[in-house]
């Protein structure tokens, strides 16, 4: 099993550009989540999904969109990147309210 | 929503000493409390977890205690080793999972 994979590993965007961060898992987990990690602020939940076709907002959803068309994939879209979205982004999956498995992260810089 | 506070933000101990990290949470409905370890450049990894129907859980040198009445839980690492140096996060979950701000633990040889 590859576990949770994320692409790209690094990305630099200009303000106003859009992009999609990819996340995939091969463990048949129902739950998937996106977090951002900023210095001194831990991991903050952006959006999460409890199954295909179901998504919900987390703590800091503004500026981000998600969709869940399959169990395996949970992409995160930035429609118009802003410098405040410079961060490290982690995707995670779990069977339910259980251990979360994290991907390796995407380091995003918005200039 | 859930709010999780974690203390201290940094902790330095001598090899062989014990380390304790404490967290408090706000939502009494939370029923799952994991602890994650994050090494540099990697995603967090679960090291131990506890559910609300259990007061204490131990796994070798690591233990977690939960006080539901006071809404706080703690991580205890005994006989610390240099490889325990990392950032540790607590979290609380009911509907979604919320994390503490993290504790950078340094174990000096």
């Amino acid at each position: 099993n590859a576990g949770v994979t994320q692409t790209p590993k690094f990305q630099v965007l200009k303000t106003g550009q859009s992009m999609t961060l990819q996340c995939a898992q091969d463990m048949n987990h129902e739950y998937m989540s996106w977090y951002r990690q900023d210095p001194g602020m831990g991991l903050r939940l952006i959006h999460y999904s409890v199954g295909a076709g179901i998504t919900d907002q987390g703590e800091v959803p503004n500026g981000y969109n998600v969709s869940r068309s399959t169990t395996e994939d949970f992409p995160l879209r930035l429609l118009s990147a802003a410098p405040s979205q410079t961060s490290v982004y982690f995707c995670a999956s779990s069977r339910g309210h259980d251990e979360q498995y994290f991907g390796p992260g995407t380091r995003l810089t918005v200039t | 929503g859930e709010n999780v506070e974690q203390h201290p933000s940094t902790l330095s101990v001598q090899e062989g000493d014990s380390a304790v990290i404490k967290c408090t949470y706000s939502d009494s409905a939370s029923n799952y409390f994991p602890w994650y370890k994050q090494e540099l450049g990697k995603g967090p990894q679960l090291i131990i977890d506890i559910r609300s129907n259990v007061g204490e859980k131990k796994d070798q040198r690591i233990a977690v205690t939960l006080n539901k009445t006071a809404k706080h839980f703690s991580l205890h690492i005994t006989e610390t080793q240099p490889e325990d140096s990392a950032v540790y996060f607590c979290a609380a979950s009911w509907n979604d999972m919320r994390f503490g701000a993290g504790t950078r633990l340094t174990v000096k040889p």
Side-chain angles (χ1 to χ4, degrees):
Chain A
N1 284 356
V4 180
T5 57
Q6 290 184 239
T7 56
K9 201 165 176 62
F10 300 95
Q11 182 71 49
V12 179
L13 289 178
K14 293 189 188 311
T15 297
Q17 286 185 318
S18 63
M19 81 158 295
T20 300
L21 278 63
Q22 301 291 345
C23 174
Q25 52 93 8
D26 61 359
M27 297 174 281
N28 202 32
H29 286 167
E30 287 299 313
Y31 281 59
M32 295 186 75
S33 305
W34 274 103
Y35 296 87
R36 60 177 289 172
Q37 184 173 33
D38 302 294
M41 302 189 76
L43 292 141
R44 291 185 293 168
L45 183 65
I46 304 171
H47 286 285
Y48 65 102
S49 168
V50 299
I54 306 169
T55 63
D56 207 346
Q57 296 182 348
E59 198 178 348
V60 288
N62 293 342
Y64 307 95
N65 278 355
V66 291
S67 60
R68 184 96 180 271
S69 55
T70 67
T71 299
E72 294 78 21
D73 301 297
F74 191 42
L76 178 72
R77 296 184 188 84
L78 283 71
L79 298 179
S80 179
S84 61
Q85 293 177 305
T86 293
S87 189
V88 181
Y89 291 84
F90 288 100
C91 178
S93 74
S94 64
R95 264 198 307 271
H97 290 295
D98 210 336
E99 175 182 0
Q100 289 205 345
Y101 292 81
F102 283 83
T106 294
R107 186 174 293 273
L108 176 68
T109 302
V110 183
T111 61
Chain B
E2 176 67 274
N3 184 44
V4 179
E5 293 193 1
Q6 182 172 345
H7 300 279
S9 56
T10 61
L11 180 59
S12 182
V13 299
Q14 285 293 139
E15 182 177 0
D17 287 351
S18 294
V20 180
I21 303 170
K22 298 182 179 182
C23 289
T24 60
Y25 62 98
S26 60
D27 191 343
S28 57
S30 293
N31 58 7
Y32 176 61
F33 306 91
W35 286 89
Y36 287 84
K37 177 183 180 182
Q38 186 178 28
E39 296 176 339
L40 196 63
K42 296 184 179 179
Q45 275 199 304
L46 182 79
I47 55 171
I48 195 167
D49 57 10
I50 193 167
R51 297 194 183 271
S52 59
N53 58 347
V54 176
E56 185 174 355
K57 185 176 178 181
K58 191 173 181 181
D59 183 4
Q60 298 182 345
R61 297 186 296 110
I62 295 172
V64 57
T65 58
L66 171 65
N67 183 327
K68 280 214 74 180
T69 303
K71 290 192 278 189
H72 67 69
F73 55 115
S74 301
L75 177 71
H76 305 252
I77 305 174
T78 59
E79 301 170 25
T80 54
Q81 300 166 3
E83 51 265 38
D84 293 330
S85 296
V87 179
Y88 291 82
F89 293 98
C90 63
S93 172
W94 172 61
N95 205 28
D96 57 34
M97 190 169 292
R98 301 296 173 99
F99 284 78
T103 297
R104 182 173 298 279
L105 173 65
T106 303
V107 180
K108 295 178 284 188

